[in-house]
Amino acid sequence: MKEAAPPDSAEPAWHTLPPEELLARISAEPQGLSSVEAARRLSQFGPNELREASRLRPWAILVNQFKSFIVWLLIVAGGASGLLHDWVDAIAIFAIVALNAVIGFYQELSAEKSIAALKRMTAPRAKVRRDGAVDSVPAAEVVPGDIIELAPGDLVPADARLLAAASLQCVESALTGESESVLKRVTTLLTAGVPLGDRENMVFMGTNVAAGAGHAVVVTTAMATEFGRIARLIESTTDEGTPLQKKLQSFGKLLAWAALGMVGVLFALGLLRGTPAFELFMTSVSLAVAAVPEGLPAVVTVALAVGVSRMARRRALVRKLHSVETLGSTTVICSDKTGTLTRGEMTVRSLFLAGETYSVSGEGYAPTGEVTVAGRPPDARQTARLRELAWLLAGCNHAHLAPDGAEPAGQWRVIGTPTEGALLALAMKLGASREAVEEKFPKLHEFPFDSERKRRTIIRRAADGAARALVTGAPDLLLRRCAFFQAAGGIKRLTDAERERLLAENAAMAGRGLRVLGAAFRDLPALPAETVDVEKIESDLVFAALTGLQDPPRPEARPAVAECRRAGIRVVMITGDHPHTALAVARELGLAEDEQEVLAGTELDALMDENLRKRAATVAVYARVSAEHKLRIVRALKAGGAVVAMTGDGVNDAPAIKGADIGIAMGRAGTEVTKQASDMIITDDNFASIVAAVEEGRGIYDNIRKTLQYLLASNSGELLLIAVAVIAGWPMPLLPIHLLWINLVTDGLPALCLAVDPIDPGVMRRPPRRAHEKITDAGFLFSMLLTGVLTAGSALAAFLVALQTAPVEVARTHAFTALVFAQLFCSFSYRSESRPVWRMSLWSNLPLALVVGGSLGLQLWIQHNATLAVLLKTTLVSWGASFGLLALALGPLAVLEGVKCFRRRRGERTI
């Protein structure tokens, strides 16, 4: 089926064509298409629906769960256990494999829902002109050339060019990320590369009409729309494995080849010494089983699951377990501005009235706060002027404020535009309310906000029976309509000098990142007639005040940004706002200082990918950006070696969120599309919660790393013990059943406790790990081999001493017990990279202390219980000998702690 595109194969810049030329080019008429022509075009271009990406069948998703190398190692280990007739062990290993496959299958089956969510956001029906009359048709039947009617509350069914508009305002936050409604007008833009948010003569699929009315000609449908382009971006963005997944895959292959090599060498040595082939085969199989840490997948899953639980308590919900670890290696956080770094609420912060500057306190839309001048409360005359301004702002307003029932308490929500909500909140702080204004000064007439005039006027009946016009709008244009101004001594004529002063104050406010609106009024000598001339009403106005509005930064955002800097993480702001506004907020947050660190969307378009990659290393703020820009930014950062976390809430953020190493959606303001494309959801839309999640991610990686190190150190001890015995020609110090017992019980339980160890307090005071840093670096291997040598040496010493005076069965029991004791004690050393065991409270990881104590008791019981002795092929060990083995097993722990203290004094990073 052909994609829904305009008849001309070369797609024009629709917003640059005059309406008559556009209608001719798309073969449309102002009265609409005929039903026959609409049906023909529907057959040609196909339904106006977003195409879903091809999905894997459930059986293929299930097969994908077994592509991991370490999973096949476990399957081999389970098969080896079956050969040893240890069916309990074999069943346990296969159960681990099955559990991991089920979890992965469920996650992958439910993850790919982004395009379906996009489809749910498109309009179900649309009002179109067909056969000369307006008809309601399914949105899927809208075709290029249709004339659509737009009214408040409508969802726009396709991308369309306006032919007529009356105070039409659309909310395009799903595409641009900005919550302010956009005023639309019928005009012809001259520049083809105008950013999406500035194409005021276009309406877009999936956005909604907030106010006004209009009609437009459809230019693109389905996958050719802006929504469709985002859908294609999501389709083309593939999920990549997390750093931990890649490292475990690489490590699994290395482990397998190392184990096979060692088993092969020992098998060959045994044959040369004349050892029976069957005995060598059984020993080789047991060695292969010992080399694979069967508990590793379970331990990793537990560590991630506990991290998910901790993060949920810190307002971060994780959709994909392995994404938790990715946060720990994040080097760049790309954050949306509105609602994440800022509160997402417009608030009046400054007033310029009668030659004086007032500061306004308070948060959000709550009508609480103070208005001060020069740090003190206003006097009686100033209060009277502020009171009069309050009536003006409340009277020229359409918003309503109401207490928000959601948490936290004390917040208010605005019903209407954020800008009018902020002005109404200020009016209520100054003592005027909408209800009081409506009751005392009824509305007589209104001139709605218009993009040409850039102001709104409401005429109200005055107390003396006359009328007053209340006006708000853009200060520069409003001043042109003013002949007077409110001065400290009353109303005076507006001179050129005073006009320049007001314009300079307007520029100064804008330079501080404030959105500035002017307020004016005019007393009318008589009530207006039914026909009112707006030009006459909006002339000879009295300029009253300048109001500076701001979406203030969250109070916790600046400390969170500073914490990221200490942790070696760059924070990059990406917004659809004007560069000046973005830079002002960035300065307040400590993100950027000058314009060199800001890159606008138009400048980004002019950069090749290689140049963007270089610039991305220094740019801290991206302004006026689109969905494609955001994805390019993420890809440029990743190409530069960064591990990127991307946050967002709108549909325009979804491709970049999916393309990032870790995608983070906002829980409150986020669209369903964004949430489905993400790896994690922040429930309070707060940047500080993202930083807390990074801290958890680092802690989880540390826990997984030290758990893996502990498991491998234990396994290396077993391998070294048996290897030395085979090379020396001594009897086998351990039997296969001993190795399996140690791997699944003695090592596994302490490893699980290490996986849930509390996070190191200094985890955010060190730089992030390099993206390609191996999980098994030199320090890791040194500590692992040292532990293996020490534990193997303890067990070998116990074996050889006992072998001098007792049968080999007794010596094996001594070696088995000494190895178990030594590995249990060593688990305490692996809790910290640098702190000695005596500086870590047992209460901070009580489960580990209980597990080690219980395992020690269980091991002692094995030596004195006839049934367990038969099952595990052990003999009775006297209590005196048991305490001697306990003392011997403390040796490795003492050496490890000594090495840790020595390296700490040298300033090295210990493992």
Side-chain angles (χ1 to χ4, degrees), residues 237-247 311 318-334 569-570 574 630-647 653-665 677-681 690 694 697 768-772:
T237 306
T238 58
D239 288 321
E240 300 178 9
T242 70
L244 179 63
Q245 287 174 316
K246 295 174 182 176
K247 290 168 185 173
M311 291 169 71
V318 175
R319 298 182 64 247
K320 301 173 184 177
L321 281 181
H322 282 278
S323 63
V324 178
E325 178 272 330
T326 311
L327 278 169
S329 56
T330 298
T331 58
V332 178
I333 299 177
C334 295
I569 301 172
R570 284 183 61 215
I574 302 179
K630 294 181 181 183
L631 184 56
R632 280 194 70 199
I633 293 166
V634 167
R635 287 174 172 169
L637 288 167
K638 291 175 68 175
V643 176
V644 183
M646 173 72 195
T647 75
D653 298 315
I657 281 177
K658 190 174 180 184
D661 294 291
I662 174 75
I664 305 171
S678 69
D679 303 297
M680 188 175 76
I681 299 171
I690 300 172
V694 170
R769 301 181 311 277
R770 294 185 299 273
H772 302 294

Side-chain angles (χ1 to χ4, degrees), residues 114-129:
S114 297
I115 308 302
L118 277 169
K119 289 182 68 176
R120 289 194 295 272
M121 291 184 65
T122 55
R125 297 191 70 83
K127 296 189 289 289
V128 301
R129 295 180 183 176

